[in-house]
């Protein structure tokens, strides 16, 4: 009788381990684990592919003990839901924009300020260097985040698109309802530019554009193309008002159950993913732009003088939020 119970208990542990459910205990580091990852974008998108590649390397390095299962295309909800699930350990990797993360760890908001970077190359230098490392550590050490910051990814520059008319100068934004990511800085930025900023999840955006709940939105060329937004909002103006990196976060609840060696391995592979994604990003950005133009989208570019009008217009946003990040901004500007 006792022997039978022992066998049953043993079987239960084996079943749990096989399902990747058995994290605790001293032997935990050796258990097989399937780490869940998610992204709003579909397979083939640079951020998704970089995490898929990370998973393959992880599986190879651990002889199959650790692997990654990707849930792309908002299968587990929008970014808000993805972050919440990572915080409770219901999934492990969430690849999200720094946009929504800024509402959790305020220091990250420095990357969400309009025109904070000179250009995309400047942003990449910052995330690759000391400031990037510092902000990842801030996120990981923050008691309220419940997340580990693993690495950054490139997401180019965000520009406005809409279904009403070509925006050829700042005055054309007046009165247009433009969807922004859920963070007050972005709504204030759009309002300062003359539009009417509306916070909404990426998961609701396509139908909001289609039904006219919003007139437009803003994003980088790959998201505008991949999300099929260009089919329902045909005017794209290269305002490049926000250059926001992406971030790959990991559930702290799961992290604490990993051995130090596994944590170090994940950190090494995440850094590689940061570089792998950049290469994929550069290729995809070019392809997306070609596809957008071939589809007959009117892509408006601006002269430096016109660009300056957009930059000057967001001064109220800097007046409202800038002081908090003044030291970091100075250091960002000093990065050449
Ligand atoms: C895309 C980001 C994605 C965001 C989305 C958005 O890759 O993480 O969810 O923008 O606008 O560029 O919400």
């Amino acid at each position: 009788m006792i022997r039978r119970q022992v066998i049953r208990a043993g079987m239960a542990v084996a079943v749990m381990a096989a399902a990747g459910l058995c994290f605790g205990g001293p032997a935990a580091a050796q258990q097989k684990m399937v780490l869940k990852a998610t992204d709003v974008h579909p397979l083939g998108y640079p951020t998704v592919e970089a995490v898929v590649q990370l998973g393959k390397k992880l599986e190879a390095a651990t002889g199959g003990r650790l692997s990654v299962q990707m849930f792309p295309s908002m299968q587990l909800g929008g970014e808000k839901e993805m972050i919440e699930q990572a915080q409770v350990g219901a999934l492990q990797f969430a690849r999200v924009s720094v946009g929504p993360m800024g509402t959790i760890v305020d220091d990250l908001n420095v990357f969400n300020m309009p025109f904070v970077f000179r250009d995309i190359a400047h942003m990449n230098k910052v995330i690759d260097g000391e400031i990037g490392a510092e902000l990842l550590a801030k996120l990981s050490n923050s008691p309220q985040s419940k997340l580990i910051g693993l690495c950054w990814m490139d997401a180019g520059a965000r520009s406005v698109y809409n279904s009403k008319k070509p925006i050829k100068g700042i005055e054309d934004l007046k009165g247009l309802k433009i969807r922004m990511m859920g963070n007050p800085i972005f709504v204030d930025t759009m309002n300062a530019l003359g539009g009417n900023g509306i916070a909404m999840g990426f998961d609701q955006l396509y139908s909001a554009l289609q039904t006219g709940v919003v007139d437009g939105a803003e994003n980088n060329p790959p998201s505008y193309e991949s999300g099929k937004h260009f089919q329902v909002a045909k005017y794209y103006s290269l305002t490049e008002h926000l250059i926001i990196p992406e971030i790959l976060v990991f559930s702290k609840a799961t992290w604490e159950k990993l051995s130090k060696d596994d944590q170090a391995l994940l950190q090494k592979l995440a850094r590689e993913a940061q570089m792998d994604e950049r290469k994929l990003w550069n290729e995809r950005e070019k392809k997306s732009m070609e596809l957008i133009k071939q589809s007959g989208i009117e892509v408006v570019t601006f002269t430096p003088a016109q660009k300056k009008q957009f930059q000057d217009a967001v001064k109220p946003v800097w007046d409202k939020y800038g002081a908090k990040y003044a030291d970091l901004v100075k250091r960002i500007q000093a990065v050449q």
Side-chain angles (χ1 to χ4, degrees):
M1 179 69 181
I2 288 172
R3 209 177 112 76
R4 240 214 223 131
Q5 275 173 354
V6 169
I7 292 171
R8 276 215 199 111
M11 274 168 61
V13 169
V15 169
M16 280 167 76
L21 295 172
C22 205
F23 292 146
Q30 298 314 314
Q31 300 288 4
K32 206 172 161 115
M33 267 194 217
V34 178
L35 305 169
K36 290 185 185 163
T38 190
D39 195 305
V40 294
H41 298 299
L43 290 176
Y45 196 90
T47 54
V48 181
E49 285 316 300
V51 175
V52 168
Q53 282 177 24
L54 180 157
K56 284 187 186 147
K57 291 183 195 174
L58 183 66
E59 207 169 334
T62 60
R65 184 172 50 82
L66 298 181
S67 60
V68 173
Q69 187 180 6
M70 171 56 76
F71 294 85
S73 308
M74 300 187 253
Q75 280 175 21
L76 304 181
E79 298 209 329
K80 195 170 164 283
E81 293 77 30
M82 288 162 49
I83 293 168
E84 285 165 5
Q85 290 174 68
Q87 286 175 320
V88 298
L91 60 86
Q92 281 67 50
F93 297 92
R95 197 294 309 156
V96 292
S97 169
V98 172
M101 287 303 302
T103 61
I104 299 172
V105 176
D106 188 46
D107 288 276
L108 294 178
N109 270 328
V110 73
F111 288 169
N112 292 330
M113 292 296 284
F115 301 105
V116 67
F117 297 110
R118 290 186 297 275
D119 50 28
I120 297 164
H122 180 208
M123 180 275 291
N124 278 324
K125 279 233 174 85
V126 172
I127 59 174
D128 286 351
E130 209 176 79
I131 300 172
E134 235 173 81
L135 287 176
L136 286 179
K138 269 235 165 89
L139 165 65
S140 307
N141 297 330
S142 131
Q144 83 272 11
S145 78
K146 301 189 177 74
L147 297 168
I148 297 292
L150 277 184
C151 70
W152 306 101
M153 291 185 186
D154 188 357
R158 299 174 73 98
S159 292
V160 175
Y161 51 87
N162 83 100
S163 59
K164 297 280 179 222
K165 58 179 181 198
I167 292 161
K168 298 202 161 152
I170 189 160
E171 58 291 347
D172 294 327
L173 267 171
K174 254 212 160 36
L176 289 182
K177 286 176 283 176
I178 305 291
R179 174 270 175 176
M180 304 299 285
M181 284 190 282
N183 184 321
I185 295 179
F186 304 141
V187 172
D188 285 338
T189 296
M190 185 42 65
N191 293 345
L193 290 171
N196 188 352
I198 295 173
M200 183 185 284
F202 193 64
D203 46 328
Q204 283 148 40
L205 181 52
Y206 183 84
S207 79
L209 285 166
Q210 206 178 25
T211 55
V213 169
V214 292
D215 300 316
E218 41 83 64
N219 222 315
N220 49 55
S223 285
Y224 176 51
E225 172 261 305
S226 163
K228 307 273 180 271
H229 299 172
F230 71 104
Q231 293 174 353
V232 282
K234 294 185 182 294
Y235 304 105
Y236 196 33
S237 295
L238 302 185
T239 48
E240 301 186 328
H241 52 282
L242 288 165
I243 297 180
I244 308 175
E246 318 273 33
I247 186 164
L248 182 65
V249 296
F250 193 90
S251 169
K252 202 179 265 182
T254 309
W255 187 257
E256 283 164 356
K257 289 168 184 150
L258 294 174
S259 69
K260 289 272 170 281
D261 285 350
D262 285 344
Q263 290 177 353
L265 175 63
L266 272 174
Q267 246 144 357
K268 174 182 161 280
L269 296 180
R271 180 72 184 185
E272 288 175 25
Q274 179 162 327
M275 302 305 157
D276 292 345
E277 193 266 353
R278 189 161 313 161
K279 207 169 154 277
L280 295 167
W281 181 263
N282 289 336
E283 290 161 10
R284 179 58 179 257
E285 206 172 34
K286 268 193 220 109
K287 273 201 199 130
S288 294
M289 215 43 179
E290 274 164 27
L291 210 143
I292 290 165
K293 287 183 177 160
Q294 275 165 16
S295 309
I297 299 302
E298 186 165 343
V299 180
V300 179
T301 52
F302 298 102
T303 62
Q306 284 176 311
K307 236 345 197 349
K308 188 164 182 303
Q309 286 187 310
F310 287 99
Q311 282 163 357
D312 291 346
V314 299
K315 188 173 175 297
V317 182
W318 280 91
D319 291 345
K320 184 168 171 185
Y321 302 98
K324 282 195 280 184
Y325 316 116
D327 289 343
L328 260 176
V329 170
K330 249 192 227 137
R331 290 176 55 208
I332 289 173
Q333 284 168 346
V335 174
Q336 288 309 318

